[in-house]
Amino acid sequence: MNRVVITGMGAIAPNGNGLDTFVDNSLAGKVGIKPITKFDATKTGITVAGEIDDFDPKAVVGKKAARRMDLYSQYAVQTAAEAMAMSGLNEDNIKPEELGVIYGSGIGGLTTIQEQIIKMHDKGPRRVSPFFVPMAIGNMAAGNISIRFNAQNISMSIVTACATGTHSIGQAYREIQDGRAKAIIAGGSEASVNEIGISGFAALTALSTTKDPAKASLPFDKDRNGFVLGEGAGTLVLEDYDHAKARGANILGEVVGYGVSSDAYHITSPDPDGKGAARAMQLALDDAGIQPDDVDYINAHGTATHANDSGEALAINKVFGKDSDVLVSSTKGMTGHLLGAAGAIEAVLTVAALQKGKLPMNVGCFNQDPDCQVNLVNQNNQDEPNAQYALSNSFGFGGHNAVLAFK
């Protein structure tokens, strides 16, 4: 099978617009959660979110193109452009038929759906935008990226809720491993910080009602009380190792393993025993041909909900042992939960952390829950210059589990 390396990355997240800003801020522990300003959230009972407030669609996406894209597609195109520029791939060194896209979103064009349904209700069906469907459907991040970069190999979208980004990267890895593509633009995007998004998750009682942005998202903390909704996108350019070497590409890291499973348990709650999560982690290790002791870091799903954090900690204990030295952090204390984009920005950050020899801290844990017995990254242990292997975990509503192993 072909080796698969990473030659480009891009990101936009609540704590950083652009790869370097996002990585630097995350490794410094900067929280991007803030009071909601995109709409009046008073009646929802939710006051904070991982909003992006410095995005200019004209800068990269372009004014005309942006008018035909929902915000989630705009985020995707911007980060894909950043990743492709870093990769150095262009029409001179890769054929269109060799370049693909696997890119997903958990919800798709939710802002467009909300706006157009209101318009139809208030002004009638003839006032619905002719671009409603191509803006709203969940495959159009992939479609727009494919068009932008003339990627004529596979172009598809995966929708597995909060595991979407990780599944997209994992499936891209499989395509290149098997020789069906030379390079694939992969990742996930989400833009659901709007009235229906916040209201829907609030109705599920899934969101934190805390008003203090610094104490709203508390992964693995005993007082955690729900996740904070975030938005943004993460993109990786995955490439066949031989192809990358032949053109002199700068290799950022390698995807060495991918594990998937299903809890088959509940529509929103994870299996409390963590069996599915543990199996996905073990499968990723097996695929990479490494042992638990080889892993230096786990970027946990860590949503700051009671069910997820305790179940994930139990799953980590099952695979690595309760006395393992592996370091763990959830970065959602800084970004909130980006749903279908979460696994993508966390993959970007995990690769960058291995590159820099510095791990992101588990921001937001003030009093670690005794039921979450994992070694959390803090200021005292985040410097790991010899770190070589890491896992990135994502678990979605519906029981979808996906884990990537990076080197």
Side-chain angles (χ1 to χ4, degrees):
M1 288 190 176
N2 300 317
R3 292 174 64 186
V4 181
V5 295
I6 300 141
T7 54
M9 299 195 295
I12 179 170
N15 66 338
N17 185 345
L19 176 67
D20 291 341
T21 304
F22 166 62
V23 170
D24 290 346
N25 285 347
S26 295
L27 294 181
K30 182 176 180 180
V31 175
I33 295 165
K34 51 189 79 78
I36 295 170
T37 61
K38 291 194 169 188
F39 68 98
D40 182 359
T42 306
K43 294 181 180 179
T44 68
I46 308 301
T47 59
V48 299
E51 279 191 1
I52 292 168
D53 53 13
D54 58 351
F55 174 69
D56 179 6
K58 300 188 295 295
V60 177
V61 179
K63 185 177 180 180
K64 181 179 179 180
R67 286 200 299 266
R68 300 182 177 191
M69 295 183 200
D70 184 86
L71 187 57
Y72 93 97
S73 281
Q74 295 175 27
Y75 289 159
V77 169
Q78 174 174 301
T79 60
E82 183 178 30
M84 283 293 284
M86 176 181 279
S87 77
L89 284 171
N90 55 54
E91 65 276 7
D92 295 327
N93 54 35
I94 191 167
K95 297 175 182 177
E97 297 86 358
E98 296 173 335
L99 176 64
V101 181
I102 300 182
Y103 212 99
S105 176
I107 300 180
L110 196 60
T111 301
T112 296
I113 293 169
Q114 175 180 289
E115 290 173 349
Q116 293 300 312
I117 288 176
I118 291 171
K119 182 179 285 189
M120 182 185 69
H121 180 272
D122 292 348
K123 298 182 179 181
R126 293 185 178 273
R127 296 298 298 274
V128 172
S129 169
F131 293 108
F132 166 63
V133 172
M135 290 173 69
I137 53 181
N139 68 302
M140 286 309 292
N144 282 308
I145 291 169
S146 176
I147 293 166
R148 176 80 172 238
F149 298 103
N150 193 26
Q152 296 181 21
N153 196 281
I154 187 171
S155 179
M156 67 178 291
S157 293
I158 292 171
V159 182
T160 49
C162 312
T164 295
T166 301
H167 272 131
S168 297
I169 297 164
Q171 291 304 127
Y173 159 69
R174 289 277 187 252
E175 289 290 316
I176 297 170
Q177 255 197 333
D178 292 343
R180 287 188 286 271
K182 293 297 184 184
I184 295 180
I185 304 164
S189 180
E190 206 76 80
S192 54
V193 179
N194 51 39
E195 192 168 6
I196 188 62
I198 294 287
S199 298
F201 282 108
L204 267 179
T205 65
L207 298 180
S208 170
T209 56
T210 304
K211 296 181 180 179
D212 182 354
K215 296 182 178 178
S217 182
L218 308 175
F220 301 110
D221 190 281
K222 68 180 183 63
D223 296 320
R224 64 192 184 278
N225 62 4
F227 72 83
V228 172
L229 192 62
E231 61 178 350
T235 301
L236 282 73
V237 174
L238 304 188
E239 189 170 350
D240 174 272
Y241 172 77
D242 290 335
H243 187 272
K245 288 292 287 184
R247 67 182 186 87
N250 178 34
I251 293 173
L252 309 174
E254 184 172 0
V255 184
V256 291
Y258 173 47
V260 296
S261 70
S262 176
D263 284 353
Y265 174 76
H266 189 270
I267 57 172
T268 58
S269 296
D271 185 333
D273 293 331
K275 294 192 298 293
R279 191 165 69 257
M281 283 187 275
Q282 186 62 59
L283 288 168
L285 295 176
D286 294 345
D287 191 36
I290 58 176
Q291 300 300 315
D293 288 347
D294 295 320
V295 177
D296 302 289
Y297 170 63
I298 300 171
N299 188 299
H301 189 54
T303 58
T305 61
H306 278 282
N308 176 88
D309 293 9
S310 57
E312 184 172 14
L314 185 58
I316 291 170
N317 293 159
K318 286 177 185 289
V319 177
F320 292 86
K322 289 186 178 180
D323 299 323
S324 170
D325 293 328
V326 68
L327 290 167
V328 177
S329 69
S330 166
T331 49
K332 291 181 175 70
M334 295 180 280
T335 65
H337 189 356
L338 274 63
L339 307 179
I345 65 161
E346 288 156 13
V348 167
L349 186 53
T350 301
V351 173
L354 289 177
Q355 269 192 307
K356 294 175 179 291
K358 187 172 184 178
L359 309 179
M361 294 179 287
N362 191 93
V363 174
C365 185
F366 302 97
N367 297 290
Q368 189 169 346
D369 189 339
D371 290 336
C372 299
Q373 290 298 316
V374 290
N375 299 316
L376 297 178
V377 181
N378 55 49
Q379 282 184 317
N380 299 320
N381 62 11
Q382 72 172 145
D383 290 320
E384 285 287 327
N386 297 317
Q388 187 176 21
Y389 289 101
L391 299 186
S392 185
N393 294 346
S394 294
F395 313 127
F397 278 4
H400 308 288
N401 304 312
V403 177
L404 288 164
F406 295 105
K407 179 184 180 182

